């Protein structure tokens, strides 16, 4: 949508600071494709609480401004730590940056609103900015899939013209499919119910628990092996990461200490991700995957946790470490 981006040229100094940008029409076509796929997981009229018609959700909108907030992976994780992919830190930064950008555009004369009610990947694809990978992630041309997407509904008409480009643009590469520990990738951009990311905020099914390793909140292995992102520069962990995501520290915390830990981690990742029970369930699962019996005394008090996820993961870890010892 180069013509639409040219029309947005007066506002480029505002949106350019975000990273990359593309423009998409308000046509429901790509969102209807998404609706058919999403309905397999949520058959409600608005799967996952999202709309499939941009004009219905945002009547003022003539088009969509698709933004990509780029990020790079962390260089290395210290021992005794949950491994939280850098995506989640970037996602929180993007979450706060997008409304500021919308406000700046509105003040400059272009009505803009963060389109929280629309699925982001179909909008990005319709903008012509990239393609879907076999891992189901959107790949921005020239950068790969290490971007956080944001979509703004804007009061500028974006013409609905054909946008010929590949839906899946990975060619014959199967790197992500081979790397997926849960074998959840079909190769057509779809991801089945075994994807670790679908389960890591709740009780992880037992057959998948060894696949999680020390990861928390999400899985990054398909991106780590993708040729488009495999060799990119890395970034350092935030100061204090080793302390606040310490497996033994999380398991040892009493409630006051955990509240302090949650407040800090939520500042990095957002309150929707970080709760005391999620940190403890992730730490219990990771402890079981270390194979180190030193965690057994720390796990035992959590075997009777009121949280089903903490309790289940702690009992599994205790059983696993006891059998290994």
């Amino acid at each position: 949508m180069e013509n639409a981006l040219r029309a947005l040229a007066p506002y480029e100094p505002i949106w350019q600071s975000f990273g990359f940008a593309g423009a998409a029409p308000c046509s429901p076509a790509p969102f209807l494709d998404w609706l058919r796929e999403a309905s397999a997981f949520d058959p409600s009229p608005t799967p996952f609480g999202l709309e499939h018609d941009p004009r219905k959700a945002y009547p003022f909108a003539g088009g969509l401004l698709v933004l990509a907030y780029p990020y790079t992976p962390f260089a290395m994780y210290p021992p005794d730590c949950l491994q939280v992919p850098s995506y989640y830190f970037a996602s929180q930064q993007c979450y706060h940056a997008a409304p500021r950008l919308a406000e700046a555009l509105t003040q400059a004369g272009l009505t803009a609103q963060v389109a929280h009610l629309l699925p982001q990947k179909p909008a990005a694809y319709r903008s012509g900015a990239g393609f879907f990978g076999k891992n189901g992630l959107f790949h921005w041309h020239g950068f790969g899939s290490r971007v956080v997407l944001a979509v703004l509904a804007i009061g500028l008409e974006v013409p609905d013209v054909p946008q010929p480009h590949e839906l899946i643009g990975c060619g014959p590469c199967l790197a992500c499919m081979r790397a997926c520990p849960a074998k959840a990738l079909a190769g057509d951009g779809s991801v089945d119910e075994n994807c670790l990311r679908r389960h890591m905020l709740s009780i992880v099914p037992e057959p998948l628990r060894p696949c999680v390793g020390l990861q928390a909140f999400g899985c990054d292995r398909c991106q780590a092996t993708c040729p488009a992102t495999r060799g990119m520069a890395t970034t350092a962990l935030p100061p204090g990461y080793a302390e606040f995501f310490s497996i033994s520290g999380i398991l040892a915390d009493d409630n006051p200490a955990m509240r302090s830990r949650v407040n800090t981690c939520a500042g990095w990742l957002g309150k929707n991700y970080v709760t005391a029970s999620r940190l403890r369930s992730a730490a219990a699962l990771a402890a079981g995957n270390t194979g180190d019996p030193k965690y057994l005394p720390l796990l035992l008090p959590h075997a009777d946790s009121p949280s089903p996820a903490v309790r289940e993961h702690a009992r599994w870890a205790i059983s696993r470490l006891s059998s290994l010892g």
Side-chain angles (χ1 to χ4, degrees), residues 56-102:
K56 179 181 177 182
Y58 303 97
F60 73 89
L64 304 172
L65 179 61
V66 182
L67 300 164
Y69 191 89
Y71 67 95
T72 53
F74 289 137
M76 186 178 296
Y77 294 94
D80 186 43
C81 270
L82 294 176
Q83 298 176 358
V84 183
S86 59
Y87 165 83
Y88 294 95
F89 291 80
S91 179
Q92 177 70 351
Q93 294 163 10
C94 177
Y95 176 80
H96 290 289
R100 292 196 296 267
L101 179 60

Side-chain angles (χ1 to χ4, degrees), residues 173-199:
C173 180
L174 302 174
C176 63
M177 296 175 65
R178 295 191 181 108
C180 178
K183 305 305 176 189
L185 307 179
D188 59 358
S190 62
V191 180
D192 71 23
E193 66 277 1
N194 286 327
C195 177
L196 298 181
R197 192 171 176 180
R198 295 190 188 277
H199 302 288

Side-chain angles (χ1 to χ4, degrees), residues 65-301:
L65 179 61
V66 182
L67 300 164
Y69 191 89
Y71 67 95
T72 53
F74 289 137
M76 186 178 296
Y77 294 94
D80 186 43
C81 270
L82 294 176
Q83 298 176 358
V84 183
S86 59
Y87 165 83
Y88 294 95
F89 291 80
S91 179
Q92 177 70 351
Q93 294 163 10
C94 177
Y95 176 80
H96 290 289
R100 292 196 296 267
L101 179 60
E103 182 179 359
L105 288 171
T106 300
Q107 290 178 351
L110 176 63
T111 303
Q113 181 180 344
V114 180
H116 291 302
L117 295 177
L118 297 177
Q120 298 163 338
K121 289 189 285 186
Y125 175 71
R126 189 65 182 85
S127 76
F131 57 88
F132 287 96
K134 290 177 181 175
N135 58 1
L137 299 178
F138 186 78
H139 289 237
W140 201 276
H141 285 310
F143 195 82
S145 59
R146 288 198 184 274
V147 292
V148 182
L149 297 174
V151 177
L152 271 58
I154 56 174
L156 178 72
E157 195 70 28
V158 176
D160 189 2
V161 297
Q163 189 69 26
H165 55 284
E166 292 179 291
L167 181 63
I168 306 296
C170 302
C173 180
L174 302 174
C176 63
M177 296 175 65
R178 295 191 181 108
C180 178
K183 305 305 176 189
L185 307 179
D188 59 358
S190 62
V191 180
D192 71 23
E193 66 277 1
N194 286 327
C195 177
L196 298 181
R197 192 171 176 180
R198 295 190 188 277
H199 302 288
M200 290 177 72
L201 296 181
S202 57
I203 299 176
V204 178
E206 187 166 354
L208 297 178
R209 291 173 194 171
C211 300
V212 173
L214 306 188
Q215 295 177 112
F217 302 111
C219 179
D220 201 36
R221 294 177 198 173
C222 61
Q223 294 193 95
T225 192
C226 176
T229 53
R230 186 170 54 211
M232 66 171 24
T234 57
T235 188
L237 291 164
Y241 182 102
E243 174 187 357
F244 286 100
F245 286 107
S246 163
I247 296 170
S248 55
I250 292 169
L251 293 174
D253 272 355
D254 57 16
N255 287 333
M258 178 55 74
R259 281 194 291 271
S260 175
R261 188 183 299 274
V262 166
N263 287 339
T264 298
C265 295
W268 283 329
L269 306 181
K271 294 180 180 179
N272 287 342
Y273 278 113
V274 180
T275 65
S277 61
R278 283 177 177 168
L279 282 176
R280 284 173 172 146
S281 68
L285 194 60
N289 282 324
T290 65
D292 193 335
K294 74 176 184 180
Y295 290 104
L296 280 170
L298 296 172
L299 287 163
L300 289 171

